[in-house]
Amino acid sequence: MSKKVKQKTNNSRRKFLQNASLAAAGYFIVPRHVLGRGYIAPSDKLNIAGIGAGGKGESDLKSFAESPKVNIVALCDVDDRQSVKSRQNFPKANYYKDFREMLAKEKNNIDACSISTPDHTHAVATLAAMQLGKHVYTQKPLTHDIYEARILAQAAKKYKVVTQMGNQGGSGDGVRRMKELYDAGLIGDIVEAQAWTNRPIWPQGVTKPTGTYPVPSELDWNLWQGTAPREEYNPAYLPFNWRGWWNYGTGALGDMACHIMDPIYRILPIDFPSSAECSIANQWTGMNQEANNIASCPVSSIIHLEYPRKDKKGTLKVSWYDGGLLPKRPDELKPEEDFGNWDGGVLFIGTKGKLLADCYGANPRLLPLSKNDSAKAVKETIKRVPEGHYLQWVNACMEGYGKGVTSSPFEYAGPFTESILMGNLAIRSALYTDPNVSGWGKNKFTGRKKLLWDAQNMKITNFDEANQFVKRQYSEGWSLTL
């Protein structure tokens, strides 16, 4: 076949495939921006835009760029100081401060977006990209609020894009091995799970900062606040310590539970909890200490969630510990043996035994450790992700929606995030004070109870004041609508 005839044949085939795909989708032209929905030829590349180019955004973009299939074509960050390294790493990428402007101007040039902003901006940035048909990789926690998580899970189905939440352990070998050991019946039926972290490693349980500071010239403070209530600029909030402030972050739970609790949610037959309760600790700031610190997440907390099993076999109890608090060490663990690792861990308590893993579900082992010889006979039955969490998403984007596979698609990550954020709803309810009660004490903190959750309607049924924490009121000019 001559080169000219071969080229004509290939062009005709490509045109046929495009027309067939577009006919099914109801389109009559093929702009570049729809290629991200699965019509990228194998020889093409995935053009990614980064919303949040500093900090975690910087490392995320570098991880995507490890693939020869990727071009980083646009960068966005409200703080020029934070984006310096990414702009050096990707000098050809167009740079913006407002992700809305970036999406409007670059929508025909990009196929996918990486969202690595503070928690309070995750949902609006992610949904905006999805509504343009862009695949999305959004850092954990997927959202700041329960309502936002529900919306993004629905959006993934509506807009038919490839999605991934940035909980890298979800693609690790550890959680897959844990499931294989559980499925083999080595610990029997799980009745309880415990998870813990050493976070926070930033200020929490502190009073709201005061003082007047000039806004750095490199920072667009108004854009950084985004959906959050307007506050005077203070260096206590950024670039990193935003995690400890409710307006912007989700505390130790939001930072680490998507990593550490992933084995629980991925392996056990649960979706939404039926109840949540907590206990919290704060720094001493006087007799009314707890009321003084309501703008900040607590120093430490213990959260108890109850889940009705989807297989109708009773209830599963899940507990979370942070701020250096730990569950009781299992009797099967010798005093010198590690209980998880420095960052945290997860423990499954079954009717026949116990299964322990480190942070990210790494290094799973039976307790007592002497039982692990029997675990060697359990065969590997679950496919691993050798390319890792980032490139798994890249490859899935190249394959297209409905063809590629990701470990934490929003259909999974949305309900998982909702479940985690129930713990923060319990904490914020515990910090809530009745404005009609003077002084302090039991009668003032009316939210310190077991909160009953109606998942279908996203509502606490026995303490109405708690429902203000299901869905935030956005600042003027911001909304989240499918």
Side-chain angles (χ1 to χ4, degrees):
M1 183 182 293
S2 70
K3 183 177 180 180
K4 186 174 182 180
V5 172
K6 183 177 181 181
Q7 183 178 9
K8 183 177 180 180
T9 301
N10 287 340
N11 288 340
S12 298
R13 181 176 181 275
R14 180 175 297 175
K15 186 175 181 180
F16 169 78
L17 291 174
Q18 288 176 341
N19 287 341
S21 298
L22 292 173
Y27 289 92
F28 296 95
I29 57 174
V30 191
R32 176 69 179 84
H33 71 273
V34 302
L35 296 179
R37 290 191 174 188
Y39 307 112
I40 300 176
S43 60
D44 206 349
K45 286 194 173 186
L46 187 73
N47 288 345
I48 297 178
I51 301 176
K56 187 60 179 170
E58 177 197 334
S59 63
D60 285 346
L61 292 168
K62 288 175 67 176
S63 295
F64 296 130
E66 290 177 5
S67 170
K69 304 173 184 177
V70 165
N71 284 327
I72 306 299
V73 298
L75 301 171
C76 178
D77 203 293
V78 298
D79 192 340
D80 294 342
R81 298 168 301 177
Q82 294 300 108
S83 63
V84 170
K85 289 185 179 179
S86 286
R87 294 168 74 181
Q88 292 172 346
N89 292 337
F90 309 106
K92 295 182 179 180
N94 294 327
Y95 180 67
Y96 301 86
K97 279 199 170 183
D98 191 329
F99 72 82
R100 297 167 296 184
E101 179 188 3
M102 183 192 75
L103 290 174
K105 292 184 177 180
E106 300 285 347
K107 63 183 178 181
N108 294 333
N109 302 322
I110 61 177
D111 308 306
C113 289
S114 168
I115 293 91
S116 303
T117 62
D119 300 348
H120 70 294
T121 313
H122 281 187
V124 289
T126 300
L127 184 61
M130 296 171 78
Q131 289 175 330
L132 291 176
K134 311 306 175 187
H135 305 307
V136 286
Y137 182 106
T138 302
Q139 263 303 331
K140 52 76 199 169
L142 183 61
T143 62
H144 184 281
D145 301 343
I146 292 170
Y147 171 80
E148 295 173 329
R150 184 73 61 95
I151 289 294
L152 291 193
Q154 294 172 357
K157 296 179 181 178
K158 178 175 181 178
Y159 299 113
K160 300 187 184 305
V161 294
V162 178
T163 58
Q164 180 96 297
M165 179 173 71
N167 57 325
Q168 298 89 332
S171 291
D173 291 352
V175 67
R176 286 156 179 77
R177 188 56 178 166
M178 290 185 78
K179 181 165 175 54
E180 289 164 351
L181 296 175
Y182 170 62
D183 288 346
L186 297 185
I187 64 170
D189 199 14
I190 295 173
V191 295
E192 184 177 354
Q194 300 171 338
W196 59 96
T197 181
N198 65 345
R199 268 55 162 195
I201 52 174
W202 51 82
Q204 288 193 186
V206 294
T207 55
K208 189 174 179 179
T210 58
T212 301
Y213 296 86
V215 178
S217 59
E218 303 91 343
L219 170 69
D220 189 321
W221 174 237
N222 186 57
L223 272 180
W224 189 92
Q225 291 183 94
T227 60
R230 291 299 175 261
E231 301 281 358
E232 292 295 322
Y233 167 77
N234 195 292
Y237 296 131
L238 74 162
F240 180 70
N241 292 338
W242 54 265
R243 290 193 179 279
W245 300 100
W246 289 122
N247 279 348
Y248 317 117
T250 49
L253 180 74
D255 182 51
M256 293 305 292
C258 288
H259 292 311
I260 298 174
M261 292 181 71
D262 181 72
I264 299 174
Y265 205 82
R266 194 174 293 275
I267 294 171
L268 303 184
I270 57 177
D271 48 22
F272 302 109
S274 57
S275 68
E277 58 183 308
C278 73
S279 56
I280 56 177
N282 265 325
Q283 294 177 358
W284 180 258
T285 58
M287 292 301 291
N288 204 18
Q289 56 165 328
E290 294 158 305
N292 290 338
N293 298 334
I294 59 173
S296 175
C297 309
V299 172
S300 59
S301 67
I302 300 173
I303 297 163
H304 302 293
L305 304 170
E306 289 187 348
Y307 291 86
R309 293 174 60 118
K310 291 192 288 186
D311 57 11
K312 309 298 183 182
K313 295 181 179 178
T315 301
L316 283 166
K317 297 181 179 180
V318 176
S319 297
W320 168 264
Y321 302 78
D322 61 40
L325 301 178
L326 297 170
K328 181 182 181 300
R329 287 173 64 90
D331 294 336
E332 299 88 344
L333 198 64
K334 295 180 180 178
E336 67 276 8
E337 292 173 342
D338 291 336
F339 189 28
N341 65 359
W342 174 249
D343 285 321
V346 59
L347 177 69
F348 285 170
I349 300 172
T351 54
K352 295 181 180 178
K354 296 175 183 176
L355 179 60
L356 173 67
D358 298 340
C359 183
Y360 300 99
N363 190 26
R365 60 264 194 202
L366 298 171
L367 298 181
L369 298 182
S370 59
K371 295 180 66 175
N372 284 281
D373 287 340
S374 63
K376 296 177 182 178
V378 177
K379 295 181 179 180
E380 186 176 301
T381 59
I382 302 173
K383 185 179 179 180
R384 291 342 191 222
V385 186
E387 70 270 32
H389 204 61
Y390 290 97
L391 299 192
Q392 181 198 52
W393 175 72
V394 168
N395 294 336
C397 291
M398 298 294 288
E399 293 179 48
Y401 179 80
K403 299 177 182 178
V405 175
T406 59
S407 297
S408 291
F410 290 0
E411 291 87 348
Y412 166 83
F416 177 33
T417 301
E418 276 194 49
S419 178
I420 288 170
L421 294 177
M422 277 297 302
N424 274 345
L425 183 147
I427 291 173
R428 300 197 72 177
S429 297
L431 290 169
Y432 174 82
T433 57
D434 187 338
N436 298 315
V437 177
S438 60
W440 69 288
K442 178 181 177 181
N443 293 332
K444 190 174 184 69
F445 293 94
T446 51
R448 299 187 175 180
K449 61 179 70 175
K450 186 174 188 176
L451 302 175
L452 304 180
W453 179 241
D454 176 357
Q456 181 176 354
N457 296 303
M458 287 190 293
K459 184 176 182 178
I460 293 293
T461 60
N462 65 330
F463 184 61
D464 191 56
E465 290 84 353
N467 291 306
Q468 65 185 292
F469 307 121
V470 174
K471 177 183 178 182
R472 284 179 297 147
Q473 292 296 316
Y474 283 175
S475 288
E476 184 177 354
W478 296 91
S479 64
L480 193 75
T481 306
L482 283 177

